[in-house]
Amino acid sequence: MPEHTTAAVGDGFDRNARDAVYRAMFTRRDVRSHFLPTALDDEVLARLLLAAHHAPSVGFMQPWNFIVIRDAERREKVRDLFLAARQQELPAIAEERQALYRKLKLEGICESALNICITCDRERSKGSPLGRSHNPEMDLYSTVCAVQNFWLAARAEGVGVGWVSIIEAQALKGLLSIPEHVTPVAYLCVGRVSEFAPKPDLETHGWGRRLPLPELIMSETFSGQGEVLLKSTVARLNTVSAAPSSPR
Amino acid sequence: MPEHTTAAVGDGFDRNARDAVYRAMFTRRDVRSHFLPTALDDEVLARLLLAAHHAPSVGFMQPWNFIVIRDAERREKVRDLFLAARQQELPAIAEERQALYRKLKLEGICESALNICITCDRERSKGSPLGRSHNPEMDLYSTVCAVQNFWLAARAEGVGVGWVSIIEAQALKGLLSIPEHVTPVAYLCVGRVSEFAPKPDLETHGWGRRLPLPELIMSETFSGQGEVLLKSTVARLNTVSAAPSSPR
């Protein structure tokens, strides 16, 4: 965890509370391998959904719906969609990485306690689409904010979440009877886990590494150098946060 | 805040820590009116960027960049883009709501301490686009997860964030020299604030109301009834969370 020496405390947030928010972010994982067969309490799931529902949304549109999928047969069909999509994706992967790609575990559809599909109703603000005339995709982005709230709340509850993106959307829509004007944004595997891995799986397995954050910061324009002090501060914090977070 | 009676405590998160995560979500606001002229410490901004950088990303792609915009003249030009876009959007709004639309304050571009444009490099995983063959927009969604991390961390730091979506993307790209293969996902106003409003502005001004969460929950399919217990639990929590959160 980074040090917190210079900041004013946020309205209502003392240092422990602020650290908890950061800890949820730094220790959140895209879970595929560590789901337990334990059931997920409705009380907990309700809190996660409430967190999602408090995401920001363009024009206060709240375009989301939450389809809770528990049925084993339906989930097997969804996994079949994943298996087919993974097979189709393989040729798009660089040849020297295909063996690794095949070994990666990329979903926990059937092992997790339940699945949730978070959708976006593209017509919910019909008539007065505040904020969507120039950027019609803003409703999809709002729905992603709901996904991220759900994910972080889950982490704080000790619940794992994995987002399955290797799936053909039109086939998924058919399987879940999702109408034409509604887009499935995220298909999530959700449940209790044996652990949260210390690093992202894709980092552990050598698929990628975390990029150096200072190189991603630009000043004034996309090619703009500058922000020297900010970048050096970021570099220092990044080093501290790479260490395991202390159990405060 | 909802009650927490039945859940197992999340790995590393005691009840106070978990409540802090929920509090960030329930009290986060899309800030337009309450920015202070106070400068924002680089130490704080660095932590917010580190939070954003720890968002999930498809194939561990980390497609984001962060353009920090402080220059007053540049910001005035961005605000001009907003003003033009708002004028263009007006006819899309239902006639009886246009007077209200015109009165709404929808940005704090020049009053906030600084602006940040969070972008998505669509080609960063070129060669091995894991998870994007069927859903190429997943990189944009990953970038939105970074935006939401930034926003929640800011709330915990007492920093306000407002997302300006009424802006023409191509013009913004020109102004910030953003290359063709990079998409500006979010233009954010960021800074210290005098307060976090108790409710979303659009709710306060009567533009919309929060939808009843139980009606947004579906079972197994998009039209599927069921999940009776979950819905009644959600309805109970929702009532509790509508009250001001207690300062724990």
Side-chain angles (χ1 to χ4, degrees), chain B residues 66-244:
Chain B
F66 308 94
I67 311 175
V68 181
I69 300 136
R70 303 183 193 256
D71 182 65
E73 270 183 53
R74 190 179 310 275
R75 290 207 258 166
E76 275 167 28
K77 286 181 189 156
V78 175
R79 194 181 48 184
D80 288 346
L81 293 184
F82 160 80
L83 290 170
R86 189 181 61 163
Q87 200 58 32
Q88 286 158 7
E89 179 164 78
L90 193 61
I93 304 295
E95 210 176 329
E96 70 276 13
R97 311 187 87 190
Q98 291 189 0
L100 174 55
Y101 177 91
R102 262 190 296 249
K103 277 200 309 193
L104 293 169
K105 174 133 174 71
L106 297 170
E107 53 76 40
I109 296 167
C110 295
E111 310 95 278
S112 53
L114 51 88
N115 298 173
I116 291 193
C117 183
I118 304 188
T119 61
C120 176
D121 181 346
R122 316 274 340 240
E123 296 183 354
R124 196 161 288 167
S125 67
K126 222 176 177 176
S128 290
L130 190 158
R132 288 187 57 218
S133 298
H134 297 80
N135 298 293
E137 70 285 2
M138 277 300 298
D139 55 350
L140 299 170
Y141 293 176
S142 302
T143 307
V144 174
C145 289
V147 174
Q148 183 65 356
N149 266 15
F150 185 95
W151 210 336
L152 292 169
R155 178 61 192 86
E157 298 273 9
V159 172
V161 172
W163 182 333
V164 184
S165 62
I166 301 174
I167 214 157
E168 209 275 292
Q170 207 54 43
L172 183 66
K173 286 178 77 158
L175 207 51
L176 304 181
S177 306
I178 297 174
E180 200 43 45
H181 65 285
V182 175
T183 299
V185 168
Y187 194 89
L188 305 177
C189 310
V190 181
R192 295 282 171 201
V193 292
S194 57
E195 63 165 306
F196 290 94
K199 288 182 174 186
D201 285 357
L202 292 179
E203 193 176 0
T204 303
H205 294 299
W207 186 266
R209 60 184 188 93
R210 197 169 300 276
L211 301 176
L213 177 53
E215 294 174 16
L216 304 178
I217 297 171
M218 274 70 176
S219 171
E220 298 297 335
T221 65
F222 194 82
S223 51
Q225 302 301 309
E227 297 292 349
V228 177
L229 183 57
L230 176 62
K231 288 179 193 174
S232 67
T233 309
V234 160
R236 177 170 52 76
L237 293 184
N238 217 354
T239 313
V240 179
S241 75

Side-chain angles (χ1 to χ4, degrees), chain A residues 7 22-23 47 53 62 66 68 70 88-89 133-135 148-149 157 165 176 211 218 220 222 227, chain B residues 7 12 22 47 53 62 66 68 70 88 133-135 148-149 157 165 176 211 218 220 222 227:
Chain A
Y22 283 117
R23 198 159 71 239
R47 290 202 290 269
H53 188 45
Q62 308 160 74
F66 307 94
V68 181
R70 304 184 192 257
Q88 287 159 6
E89 179 164 77
S133 297
H134 296 83
N135 298 293
Q148 183 64 356
N149 266 15
E157 298 273 8
S165 62
L176 304 182
L211 302 177
M218 275 69 176
E220 298 296 336
F222 194 83
E227 296 291 350
Chain B
Y22 283 117
R47 290 203 291 270
H53 189 46
Q62 308 159 75
F66 308 94
V68 181
R70 303 183 193 256
Q88 286 158 7
S133 298
H134 297 80
N135 298 293
Q148 183 65 356
N149 266 15
E157 298 273 9
S165 62
L176 304 181
L211 301 176
M218 274 70 176
E220 298 297 335
F222 194 82
E227 297 292 349

